[in-house]
Amino acid sequence: MMPPDSLAIAAPVIFVAYVVFGMTGFGAAMVAVPVLVQFIPLQFAVPLVVLFDLACTALVGGSNWRRVSREELMRLFPWLLLGIGMGVTLLHNAGARWPLILLGSFVLAVCIKGLWGASGKRAAPMHTHWALPFGIFGGIFSALFGTGGPIYTIYLSRRLDALDQFRATISVVILLSGVIRAAAFGAAGLYAQPEILLAASVLLPVALIGLYAGSRLRTRVSPALLKRSIFVLLAIAGAGAIYRGWISPS
């Protein structure tokens, strides 16, 4: 079992991450994983958070199937599957240093784009050929760090004009990604670590309480304040992941 002091630190991290998920519909792994890797291994943190993502996404995404763009789902899915396979292999075999530095750099890049990169103008539609790189890299980042959601979001937001259809499609993509990752992690033996399932049984109620709290707070917090608070939190976590990777052995 995880040491009690690690569980005591992980619980508020998971709670805050799923408050964010409840308010925005995504982003839990981007909040949780960079903080969790400060005190537990990446190979433990990512499979753990995937279990929570799976439960919470299934709870909030089940009613969206009718609005899903099946065409975009079919374009992304084969490449997403390939990327997840590559990411699981890297997660199972990679050392700590470069994955953590890559994770932290990715999170910081997302924060910079989110805080200062928006121009307010809608970008031109993206060609369908971009489904290949976005699907592969989204799958790799989903498996390696649990943070593929922003990559899928960039592609789908440039393909789908209708907000309801975009939200439905991204939620189903994340749900399917979670199912595939969980199966791949199981096949790779990452869930053979008994501590993961024990920690999940303790922390899943915390994630669900966070999800409920975020859902209730969604209409009570200024979107601008919420956005800035999330990105500041992510930037701190991303910098911490880079530092942790830098001091880790290769």
Side-chain angles (χ1 to χ4, degrees):
M1 185 61 186
M2 283 176 65
D5 57 339
S6 295
L7 275 175
I9 299 171
V13 173
I14 294 297
F15 176 78
V16 171
Y18 285 92
V19 168
V20 171
F21 184 94
M23 297 177 77
T24 64
F26 62 94
M30 283 199 69
V31 173
V33 172
V35 179
L36 292 176
V37 295
Q38 306 302 315
F39 56 93
I40 61 177
L42 184 68
Q43 288 84 354
F44 190 102
V46 173
L48 180 67
V49 172
V50 164
L51 295 177
F52 304 147
D53 268 355
L54 205 53
C56 293
T57 309
L59 282 175
V60 302
S63 61
N64 289 328
W65 283 97
R66 287 181 299 174
R67 300 186 182 95
V68 171
S69 169
R70 290 174 173 80
E71 293 82 4
E72 295 301 337
L73 194 61
M74 290 301 101
R75 286 191 186 103
L76 272 178
F77 188 77
W79 310 118
L80 178 154
L81 196 61
L82 176 60
I84 288 175
M86 295 166 66
V88 170
T89 301
L90 289 170
L91 181 66
H92 191 57
N93 298 305
R97 169 173 287 184
W98 295 111
L100 286 173
I101 292 173
L102 184 60
L103 167 63
S105 301
F106 174 67
V107 170
L108 285 178
V110 170
C111 292
I112 292 169
K113 178 176 174 57
L115 286 169
W116 295 292
S119 65
K121 298 179 181 179
R122 177 168 175 80
M126 188 174 284
H127 196 281
T128 56
H129 292 167
W130 285 100
L132 189 156
F134 276 88
I136 289 178
F137 282 102
I140 290 172
F141 273 79
S142 290
L144 200 52
F145 308 125
T147 58
I151 298 177
Y152 306 135
T153 297
I154 292 168
Y155 172 78
L156 290 173
S157 67
R158 299 275 298 275
R159 291 291 307 161
L160 301 173
D161 291 324
L163 185 58
D164 286 348
Q165 188 179 41
F166 164 74
R167 286 176 174 169
T169 306
I170 190 64
S171 68
V172 171
V173 166
I174 292 172
L175 175 60
L176 290 176
S177 171
V179 171
I180 296 165
R181 282 180 290 154
F185 290 156
L190 294 173
Y191 288 125
Q193 307 172 77
E195 296 88 353
I196 288 184
L197 299 181
L198 289 170
S201 67
V202 173
L203 294 172
L204 179 59
V206 177
L208 295 176
I209 293 169
L211 175 68
Y212 175 77
S215 300
R216 296 296 298 268
L217 287 170
R218 184 183 304 166
T219 59
R220 302 182 186 181
V221 176
S222 159
L225 176 61
L226 173 63
K227 174 184 174 181
R228 288 195 169 272
S229 299
I230 291 172
F231 281 130
V232 169
L233 178 64
L234 285 174
I236 294 169
I242 292 173
Y243 173 75
R244 178 82 175 184
W246 192 259
I247 65 174
S248 296
S250 299

